[in-house]
């Protein structure tokens, strides 16, 4: 190839790839699917990688949605699955319960409910099930690192 | 006129394989194609976007620096397109556009042209770009986090992260064959082992890269990983796992062998390759980073000039 031809090739390559690149970025599908595949919880103690899909599908661990998304009307298909932190949060100053409760409840009907905060909700739900089923490392000191990937 | 320039001696490398730079660049890009196409197949349009944008911007930055420094236009030699391609191959498919544009800027302008352009760079430009980005935006290079929404039908945890955090019980889901066939998460063009090996063999046979570097790099990884594995088999993965995960194969055939940052003499090439291999496994097994290929090769780039001093003495030379 002569230098002129090489230069022409490089210019055409640049223009074509620039167009392809911009179109691909514009056309790339939205990032978050309706139902999460995997999720990463960012924690100072080390990030937790949770394989949502494998926990739910039949070929994985085959759990029912309600096993984890525990606080919802069982028969209502339409109702969205809420993040745990939506309810499991520290109530604002002066309030007994998180604001989100009153979207579905009258304040007086739920007055004496004990709420646990988000991280505790995770720990107790995830671990109750795992320990019942004998999953994960046996030694307690290895358990934290099993979920929390220290960087 | 005393300061008249009569003869300008350029930097190393002087090693000439008989073909021009452009032939070499385009052959390296062709050799990388199987692995890149496999990445397109796995990650779809996101991967296409990253690769296309990376190559085009690498060329654009080179063109810009040619204009700014008023030098002749050097994009025709394909070297910068190759930098763009290799850079994209190391990225996760979900890399945002600004990361690609910044990265190619660092690779081409800081990695290559600050040192005087092609042949003058003491470090591999691709790795300079990647290392600076990895340090600045760590999260984008955490493949577990970057590829959260992909389900490709195999264990999607990044193999090197799994073994680092969980030891060998964490990597039971991976088989050597599966790893070779690209059944692992990772960079767009860095996971398809078989494709990278075929590309590498092609480049070695055609004389575009030096087998001494590639093979000693792989041998360094194999032996070091084996020693660690024998020492503690539940904590450290075996040698084959290290050969076929992370950036090992793309590093062996496409990165460590970059010519102006690697030695040209036989023994130095072996030392350079093996040193990078050993360092890679040390970082993986003992360091805080999940993969060590990038920093290991950069480190060997740094001591390359000293290593390359080891050469046979000329006959009859005094001193």
């Amino acid at each position: 190839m002569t230098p002129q031809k090489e230069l022409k090739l490089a210019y055409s390559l640049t223009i074509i790839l620039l167009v392809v690149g911009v179109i691909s970025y514009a056309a790339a599908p939205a990032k978050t699917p309706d139902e999460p595949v995997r999720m990463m919880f960012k924690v100072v103690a080390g990030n937790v990688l949770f394989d949502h899909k494998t926990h739910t599908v039949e070929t994985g661990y085959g759990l029912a949605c309600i096993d984890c998304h525990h606080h919802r009307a069982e028969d209502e298909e339409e109702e969205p699955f809420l993040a745990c932190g939506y309810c499991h949060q520290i109530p604002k100053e002066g309030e007994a319960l998180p604001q989100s409760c009153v979207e579905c409840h009258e304040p007086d009907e739920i007055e004496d409910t004990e709420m646990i905060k988000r991280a505790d909700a995770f720990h107790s739900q995830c671990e109750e099930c795992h320990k019942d089923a004998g999953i994960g490392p046996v030694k307690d000191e290895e358990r934290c690192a099993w979920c929390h990937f220290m960087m | 006129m005393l300061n008249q320039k009569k003869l300008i001696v350029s930097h190393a490398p002087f090693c000439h394989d008989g073909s021009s730079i452009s032939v070499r660049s385009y052959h390296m890009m062709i050799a990388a194609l199987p692995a890149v196409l496999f990445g397109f197949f796995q990650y779809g349009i996101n991967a296409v976007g990253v690769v296309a944008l990376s190559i085009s911007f690498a060329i654009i930055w080179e063109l810009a620096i040619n204009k700014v420094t008023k030098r002749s236009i050097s994009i025709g030699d394909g070297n910068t397109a190759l930098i763009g391609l290799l850079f994209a191959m190391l990225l996760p498919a979900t890399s945002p556009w600004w990361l690609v544009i910044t990265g190619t800027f660092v690779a081409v302008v800081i990695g290559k042209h600050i040192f005087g352009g092609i042949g003058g760079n003491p470090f591999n430009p691709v790795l300079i770009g990647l290392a600076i980005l990895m340090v600045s935006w760590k999260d984008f290079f955490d493949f577990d986090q970057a590829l959260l929404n992909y389900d490709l039908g195999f264990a999607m945890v990044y193999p090197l992260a799994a073994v680092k955090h969980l030891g060998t019980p964490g990597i039971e889901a991976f088989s050597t064959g599966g790893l070779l066939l690209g059944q692992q998460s990772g960079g767009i063009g860095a996971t398809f082992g078989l494709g990278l090996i075929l590309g590498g063999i092609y480049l070695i046979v055609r004389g575009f890269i030096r087998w001494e570097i590639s093979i000693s790099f792989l041998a360094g990884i194999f032996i070091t990983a084996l020693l660690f594995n024998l020492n503690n088999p539940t904590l450290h993965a075996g040698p084959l796992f290290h050969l076929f995960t992370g950036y090992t194969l793309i590093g062996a055939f496409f990165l460590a062998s970059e010519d102006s940052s690697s030695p040209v003499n036989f023994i130095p090439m072996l030392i350079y390759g093996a040193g990078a291999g050993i360092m890679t496994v040390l970082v993986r097994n003992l360091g805080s980073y999940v993969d060590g290929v990038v920093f290991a090769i950069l480190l060997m780039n740094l001591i390359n000039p000293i290593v390359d001093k080891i050469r046979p003495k000329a006959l009859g030379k005094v001193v």
Side-chain angles (χ1 to χ4, degrees):
Chain A
M1 262 195 304
T2 63
Q4 280 73 28
K5 273 207 190 131
E6 282 176 357
L7 213 55
K8 243 194 204 147
L9 176 68
Y11 279 121
S12 350
L13 202 64
T14 317
I15 293 167
I16 294 170
L17 290 180
L18 188 62
V19 173
V20 172
V22 171
I23 292 177
S24 305
Y25 265 94
K31 270 188 184 163
T32 39
D34 291 343
E35 215 178 286
V37 180
R38 265 162 285 123
M39 33 182 72
M40 172 92 75
F41 302 110
K42 300 192 147 191
V43 189
V44 278
N47 292 347
V48 179
L49 185 66
F50 172 53
D51 197 331
H52 190 272
K53 187 165 179 185
T54 307
H55 272 80
T56 55
V57 291
E58 274 311 315
T59 50
Y61 316 146
L63 304 174
C65 310
I66 201 104
D67 284 346
C68 300
H69 299 278
H70 66 97
H71 197 89
R72 59 202 312 279
E74 245 166 285
D75 44 352
E76 275 185 63
E77 302 268 306
E78 250 76 311
E79 201 186 325
F81 288 83
L82 297 167
C84 314
Y86 190 73
C87 298
H88 292 278
Q89 50 176 277
I90 298 163
K92 284 209 198 77
E93 198 79 32
E95 284 169 22
L97 286 167
Q99 201 57 46
S100 52
C101 309
V102 293
E103 279 170 29
C104 304
H105 295 284
E106 293 298 328
D108 52 339
E109 90 187 45
I110 50 168
E111 268 170 342
D112 7 276
T113 317
E114 284 281 336
M115 281 300 286
I116 51 177
K117 72 181 177 76
R118 182 184 147 96
D120 297 340
F122 276 116
H123 278 157
S124 76
Q125 189 183 73
C126 309
E127 279 297 77
E128 199 165 303
C129 175
H130 291 153
K131 282 190 170 151
D132 281 353
I135 299 161
V138 187
K139 281 187 234 152
D140 262 351
E141 62 269 23
E142 285 173 18
R143 268 206 105 80
C144 313
W146 181 52
C147 284
H148 291 281
F149 280 17
M150 292 298 292
M151 264 304 141
Chain B
M1 295 287 270
L2 268 177
N3 60 352
Q4 203 175 8
K5 286 184 197 148
K6 287 232 177 76
L7 197 63
I8 298 169
V9 180
S10 74
H11 291 279
F14 303 118
C15 183
H16 203 290
D17 69 347
S19 58
S20 70
I21 301 170
S22 63
V23 171
R24 182 179 194 272
S25 303
Y26 287 115
H27 274 88
M28 288 205 62
M29 292 178 77
I30 289 167
L33 217 53
V36 177
L37 291 179
F38 188 79
F40 290 172
F41 166 71
Q42 279 190 322
Y43 296 108
I45 194 158
N46 293 78
V48 175
V50 173
V51 172
L53 203 69
S54 181
I55 299 178
S56 56
F57 262 89
I59 303 180
I60 289 171
W61 290 125
E62 174 116 348
L63 203 59
I65 200 100
N66 285 158
K67 297 275 186 220
V68 170
T69 56
K70 299 198 176 62
R71 291 202 186 189
S72 59
I73 306 292
S74 57
I75 61 173
D77 66 21
N79 177 267
T80 188
L82 177 63
I83 292 179
L85 176 67
L86 291 177
F87 182 71
M89 288 168 76
L90 302 174
L91 294 178
T94 49
S95 302
W97 57 269
W98 55 263
L99 194 77
V100 177
I101 294 179
T102 323
T104 46
F105 175 84
V106 177
V108 172
V109 177
I110 298 177
K112 179 176 168 190
H113 280 281
I114 295 246
F115 299 107
I118 190 165
N121 50 297
F123 299 103
N124 184 324
V126 176
L127 294 180
I128 289 281
L130 198 75
I132 290 183
L133 259 57
M134 269 166 83
V135 172
S136 316
W137 292 287
K138 212 172 170 185
D139 283 358
F140 288 102
F141 294 90
D142 178 347
F143 289 103
D144 281 332
Q145 199 170 326
L147 303 174
L148 277 180
N149 294 323
Y150 283 93
D151 180 31
L152 302 178
F154 46 80
M156 281 298 289
V157 61
Y158 188 53
L160 289 174
V163 74
K164 173 148 245 161
H165 299 298
L166 303 169
T168 41
I171 53 168
E172 275 160 10
F174 299 101
S175 68
T176 305
L179 291 174
L180 266 173
L181 291 175
Q183 291 175 7
Q184 53 174 320
S185 64
I188 293 170
T191 58
F192 183 32
L194 207 58
L196 290 167
I197 293 175
L198 286 179
I201 291 176
Y202 172 76
L203 291 174
I204 288 174
V205 169
R206 293 291 308 267
F208 290 117
I209 60 171
R210 306 299 299 256
W211 66 267
E212 294 90 336
I213 293 177
S214 304
I215 300 301
S216 58
F217 178 67
L218 295 175
I221 290 192
F222 188 93
I223 292 166
T224 320
L226 182 65
L227 292 178
F228 270 103
N229 181 240
L230 291 176
N231 185 35
N232 190 343
T234 49
L235 201 58
H236 301 301
L240 289 177
F241 178 84
H242 280 282
L243 282 188
F244 302 142
T245 50
Y247 293 149
T248 303
L249 290 171
I250 192 173
F253 297 115
F254 293 89
L255 300 172
S257 52
E258 201 266 338
D259 44 14
S260 87
S261 54
S262 63
V264 292
N265 294 313
F266 181 69
I267 298 290
M269 281 197 278
L270 297 186
I271 295 175
Y272 168 90
I278 294 168
M279 276 302 300
T280 297
V281 178
L282 288 180
V283 172
R284 284 182 184 179
N285 284 350
L286 305 175
S288 71
Y289 279 86
V290 171
D291 195 357
V293 170
V294 173
F295 296 111
I297 297 180
L298 282 175
L299 185 79
M300 292 313 284
N301 286 165
L302 185 70
I303 56 178
N304 160 38
I306 311 167
V307 176
D308 216 13
K309 288 249 153 45
I310 306 169
R311 62 185 77 178
K313 277 209 188 98
L315 205 62
K317 188 178 169 193
V318 192
V319 177

